[in-house]
Amino acid sequence: MSANARRTAVRRTTARRSATRRTALLLGAALVTLSATACSSTSGPSVSTEPKQTAAATGSEAAKPADGKPAEDKPADTGKAAAKVGDTIALKGNDPADTADVTVVKVVDNAEGGDEFTHPAEGNRFVAVQFRIKASGKKAYSDVPGNSAKVVDTQGQAFGTTIADTKAGPSFQVPANIAPGESALGFVTFEVPKDAKLDKAQFGLDSGFAPQTGQWKLG
């Protein structure tokens, strides 16, 4: 096969992949919108910045000092640090049985396109964010993670995901189907202005239509 023929084949494969993913994104958003409308609660939406504590010491033995003497009374630390890269946030969907533990694992700025035809528009750059999603409820997670995520810059401007693979690593399958108790790992890609200073990443279940959104500090 000639070089021109190979390039044409790659273009066609990339176009088919993008069309399939775009259709899945739109279909997923439409289905979740209908579900969210049917299951919407009376309470308003909320943003959770509190990381899930998984390794905190508990029990009377953990509370004892090494020398066996009673510990001195100290004022409780009531300050809660905002979730950051590496932290997990427990999220709820519209259905009480639909919950997930979501982690921002890694952020790759200025990510390179996955092939020779994938590039950001002039004046933009790709930012790839790797999420881990664990279906923690009774229901399986079945959604399009690209519909659920966004990044926000220091000016408050939010950016949604773009249909692009990068060399940062594998993207999520579309849709992502995760059995209860299991997890999946994947990147989603954002196209943002070159001079944008990203400050936060956000993720919500039900393609972002859930009443709760997780938020992680990037800086």
Side-chain angles (χ1 to χ4, degrees):
M1 182 184 290
S2 68
N4 286 337
R6 283 197 298 271
R7 282 195 291 270
T8 299
V10 171
R11 286 194 187 96
R12 288 175 177 171
T13 300
T14 301
R16 284 196 299 269
R17 185 185 303 146
S18 296
T20 300
R21 185 169 295 178
R22 186 177 296 108
T23 300
L25 289 170
L26 294 173
L27 179 59
L31 292 175
V32 171
T33 301
L34 291 173
S35 175
T37 301
C39 302
S40 60
S41 64
T42 56
S43 59
S46 65
V47 176
S48 175
T49 62
E50 184 177 354
K52 183 177 181 180
Q53 301 300 319
T54 57
T58 58
S60 58
E61 291 301 320
K64 288 182 179 179
D67 59 7
K69 296 180 180 179
E72 296 180 7
D73 290 335
K74 295 182 180 179
D77 183 7
T78 58
K80 295 180 180 178
K84 58 186 183 301
V85 176
D87 287 334
T88 300
I89 296 178
L91 295 177
K92 299 176 182 178
N94 288 288
D95 187 330
D98 184 13
T99 63
D101 291 341
V102 180
T103 308
V104 171
V105 179
K106 185 189 299 184
V107 179
V108 180
D109 207 342
N110 287 303
E112 186 178 350
D115 56 50
E116 59 184 304
F117 304 109
T118 304
H119 305 283
E122 179 100 15
N124 291 348
R125 73 184 195 271
F126 285 146
V127 177
V129 179
Q130 188 180 44
F131 288 91
R132 178 180 288 110
I133 304 170
K134 179 180 180 180
S136 59
K138 296 180 180 179
K139 287 181 60 177
Y141 174 96
S142 183
D143 201 353
V144 180
N147 288 339
S148 303
K150 64 179 67 174
V151 290
V152 184
D153 68 13
T154 54
Q155 304 300 313
Q157 175 67 56
F159 303 92
T161 57
T162 185
I163 303 171
D165 293 322
T166 71
K167 293 183 179 179
S171 301
F172 281 103
Q173 292 296 305
V174 179
N177 296 303
I178 309 170
E182 297 184 359
S183 62
L185 187 69
F187 279 92
V188 296
T189 305
F190 303 87
E191 184 173 345
V192 304
K194 282 186 176 180
D195 59 354
K197 296 180 180 179
L198 298 185
D199 184 47
K200 296 180 282 286
Q202 294 183 337
F203 193 96
L205 301 185
D206 298 326
S207 282
F209 288 96
Q212 182 187 26
T213 298
Q215 180 172 283
W216 293 259
K217 188 77 173 174
L218 299 182

